[in-house]
Amino acid sequence: MRKFLMTIVLAGMSVGMMAQDVIQLPAPDKQVDMSLYTALQRRHSVRTYQQREVTDAILAQVLWAACGYNREAEKKITAASAINAQDVVVFVVRKEGAYRFSPDNNTLKKVSSKDLRPLVAGRQTAVASAPVMLVLASDQSKFGGRESGQRLGLLDAGYVSQNIYLACTALGLGTVARATMESEQLAKEMQLGEEFMLTLNHPIGWE
């Protein structure tokens, strides 16, 4: 009887731990008051941030703008993509860990329990205080071994980056596109395979 009860307890703990490893984000609110042209006029880079939380609801809006589905039936994303490879994967880095964003089910799956923000910041330590950092990685396997894969991956990251900029501006957030980061160590901590190429990152917070 004791063994049976212990099995139930351990099973419950395992389910609880799995649940913590996957975060279901709220459905993104796509009704934003600021127009596209106003966002273009106001877009600028921000490198210092308040110590104020970016909620999951707001994060969901930014992630949808970055590379969520705008044509769900066809699984087509908001950002342009070379040969429709959709190679860019967005990772969310916060104090409590790092997560991979899935546009398929609007979830964050934990890939690390460490605070990896200092690795994202690299030598530009001032941005490490941002409450959220988005790291863009290109899955080079999506290009089928093309010699142009790296160049196309960088182009696709640029499209996603601009979407992040404009979404942050429309939502009153600050951000800056950066190539600086401790790429090798960061990829190792996030358990990325050799097919992934880290491209850009975006600290995000309130200016």
Side-chain angles (χ1 to χ4, degrees):
M1 183 66 177
R2 181 177 296 178
K3 289 183 178 180
F4 177 71
L5 290 174
M6 182 61 69
T7 300
I8 293 176
V9 170
L10 290 174
M13 290 174 62
S14 177
V15 170
M17 289 175 66
M18 289 175 63
Q20 292 176 4
D21 286 346
V22 178
I23 298 173
Q24 179 65 60
L25 294 170
D29 181 0
K30 301 165 191 173
Q31 303 302 314
V32 180
D33 292 334
M34 188 179 294
S35 71
L36 170 62
Y37 273 70
T38 300
L40 287 168
Q41 287 178 309
R42 295 184 182 179
R43 190 220 60 80
H44 65 285
S45 294
V46 175
R47 293 176 174 82
T48 57
Y49 307 92
Q50 297 180 36
Q51 292 305 297
R52 174 184 167 192
E53 179 189 11
V54 175
T55 65
D56 282 353
I58 293 174
L59 179 60
Q61 290 178 288
V62 176
L63 290 172
W64 178 83
C67 62
Y69 292 145
N70 62 359
R71 291 152 289 174
E72 292 188 12
E74 303 170 70
K75 293 192 174 182
K76 298 291 182 68
I77 60 175
T78 56
S81 178
I83 65 169
N84 193 36
Q86 298 190 23
D87 58 298
V88 177
V89 179
V90 179
F91 293 87
V92 176
V93 177
R94 302 194 282 201
K95 182 179 181 180
E96 63 270 23
Y99 304 81
R100 177 173 176 162
F101 171 63
S102 172
D104 283 314
N105 48 21
N106 194 35
T107 58
L108 299 177
K109 183 177 181 180
K110 182 173 281 190
V111 295
S112 174
S113 296
K114 297 180 182 179
D115 183 357
L116 302 180
R117 291 177 300 169
L119 293 181
V120 182
R123 64 179 180 272
Q124 298 174 348
T125 56
V127 299
S129 63
V132 174
M133 290 178 157
L134 302 184
V135 177
L136 311 186
S138 171
D139 181 353
Q140 290 287 291
S141 69
K142 296 289 187 72
F143 293 113
R146 285 179 172 81
E147 290 184 8
S148 58
Q150 289 192 1
R151 178 170 58 85
L152 296 177
L154 291 171
L155 286 170
D156 287 354
Y159 303 140
V160 172
S161 174
Q162 184 71 336
N163 282 8
I164 293 170
Y165 255 124
L166 294 175
C168 285
T169 301
L171 295 168
L173 291 164
T175 191
V176 59
R178 306 172 63 253
T180 298
M181 55 184 144
E182 301 294 338
S183 297
E184 186 175 339
Q185 190 175 351
L186 192 58
K188 182 179 179 180
E189 291 288 353
M190 295 197 302
Q191 305 177 56
L192 301 186
E194 293 183 356
E195 71 274 18
F196 283 98
M197 177 181 71
L198 296 183
T199 55
L200 296 171
N201 66 79
H202 274 266
I204 290 174
W206 306 99
E207 186 173 4

